[in-house]
């Protein structure tokens, strides 16, 4: 039940257009008042996605997420404590097809985030595009926030205890999410580094073993016509369209249900970041390289525990 809800509700490419169609359709029926009242609410609530969203603990604690956790299963582990007096930027790698590990671990409490990191509230960031869809925006605001404006708002809060989670590789990395691959789009990704420096938020690398194993994709190596189309659509729309498949509900040969492969998400040690409101290119490069080194060390330290060959290493793209 949990994984079916996740596939439907969190498959943005399907659910978002459906909500837009419903909003417009209702305007031409006897239920037109619903859309009108919602439009008034939308105008009033327009800035909320940029201010942390509507964090509802009751939604994050629904029993349905426990079923989702146990389906794979999904586990969250820490390597160090996070001091609640500070704010944090957690870089999540790899994106995978549907960022299953990021959602389960940081949008719900089914894997025990609040117990592992007491005093810390996590916010998984999404592309601003999805907050323009009526109805859908309100649903995703419960566990998620708008990137990057919301991140600045959250990291500016005094007192600490806020952790913004960013799937750094984003939509582009989803196209490389093939089983057995460890491609991480990070070599030129420095926006989240700059964000952390501007607010003095500590950086925390996170690696999710098994994230790329739960779906197969049609082969789309760079240079093929399929990848050319996907890359161009991603550059135009800001989202990627991976052609993924796995198993069905009652059969195992083909479908959209993910494979039952374990996902183990490891939260690394925090990297201390001093606040620099206008960091230079050199300062960004130094911290960016340090972050890449720490992420690589995290992968190398734990890969043997999750069936990754000793000769397999991260490929920074």
């Amino acid at each position: 039940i949990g994984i079916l809800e996740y596939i439907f509700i969190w498959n943005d490419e399907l659910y978002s257009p459906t909500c837009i169609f419903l909003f417009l359709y209702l305007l031409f029926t006897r239920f037109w008042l619903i859309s009108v009242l919602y439009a008034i609410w939308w105008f009033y609530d327009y800035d909320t996605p940029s201010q942390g969203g509507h964090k509802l603990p009751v939604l994050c604690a629904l029993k349905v997420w426990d079923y989702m956790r146990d389906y794979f299963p999904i586990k969250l582990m820490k390597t160090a404590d996070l001091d609640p007096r500070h704010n944090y930027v957690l870089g999540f790698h790899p994106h995978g097809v549907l960022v299953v590990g990021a959602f389960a671990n940081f949008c719900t409490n089914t894997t025990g985030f609040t117990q592992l990191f007491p005093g810390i509230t996590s916010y998984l960031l999404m592309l601003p595009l999805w907050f323009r869809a009526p109805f859908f925006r309100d649903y995703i605001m419960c566990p998620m926030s708008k990137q990057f404006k919301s991140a600045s708002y959250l990291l500016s809060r005094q007192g600490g205890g806020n952790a913004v989670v960013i799937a750094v590789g984003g939509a582009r990395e989803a196209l490389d999410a093939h089983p057995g691959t460890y491609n991480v789009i990070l070599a030129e990704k420095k926006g989240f580094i700059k964000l952390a420096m501007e607010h003095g938020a500590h950086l925390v690398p996170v690696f999710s073993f098994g994230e790329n194993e739960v779906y197969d994709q049609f082969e789309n190596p760079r240079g093929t016509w399929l990848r050319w189309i996907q890359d161009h659509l991603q550059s135009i729309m800001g989202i990627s369209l991976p052609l993924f498949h796995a198993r069905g509900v009652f059969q195992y040969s083909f479908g959209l249900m993910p494979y039952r492969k374990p996902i183990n998400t490891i939260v690394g040690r925090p990297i201390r970041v001093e606040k620099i409101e206008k960091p230079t290119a050199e300062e960004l490069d130094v911290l960016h390289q340090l972050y890449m080194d720490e992420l690589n060390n995290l992968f190398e330290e734990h890969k043997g525990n999750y069936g990754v060959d000793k000769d397999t290493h991260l490929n920074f793209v």
Side-chain angles (χ1 to χ4, degrees), residues 29-98:
T29 69
R30 60 194 178 101
F31 302 106
W32 59 270
L33 187 59
I34 295 176
S35 290
V36 171
L37 292 175
Y38 182 83
I40 296 173
W41 161 252
W42 193 353
F43 177 79
Y44 171 80
D45 196 54
Y46 187 80
D47 291 331
T48 300
S50 301
Q51 299 174 352
H54 300 296
K55 192 75 172 180
L56 298 180
V58 64
L59 181 62
C60 298
L62 288 176
K63 183 65 176 177
V64 69
W65 306 129
D66 293 345
Y67 298 130
M68 175 184 171
R69 174 199 64 204
D70 296 337
Y71 174 84
F72 292 96
I74 302 172
K75 294 181 180 179
L76 177 68
M77 286 146 282
K78 70 175 182 179
T79 59
D81 293 329
L82 297 183
D83 189 338
R85 294 174 297 178
H86 299 292
N87 290 324
Y88 299 89
V89 175
L90 276 62
F92 182 87
H93 314 270
H95 184 285
V97 172
L98 292 179

Side-chain angles (χ1 to χ4, degrees), residues 123-127 145-148 150-151 154 164-167:
Y123 299 86
L124 179 62
L125 304 187
M126 286 186 74
L127 291 172
S145 299
K146 187 175 180 179
Q147 186 176 5
F148 270 95
S150 181
L154 293 167
V164 298
V165 184
I166 303 174

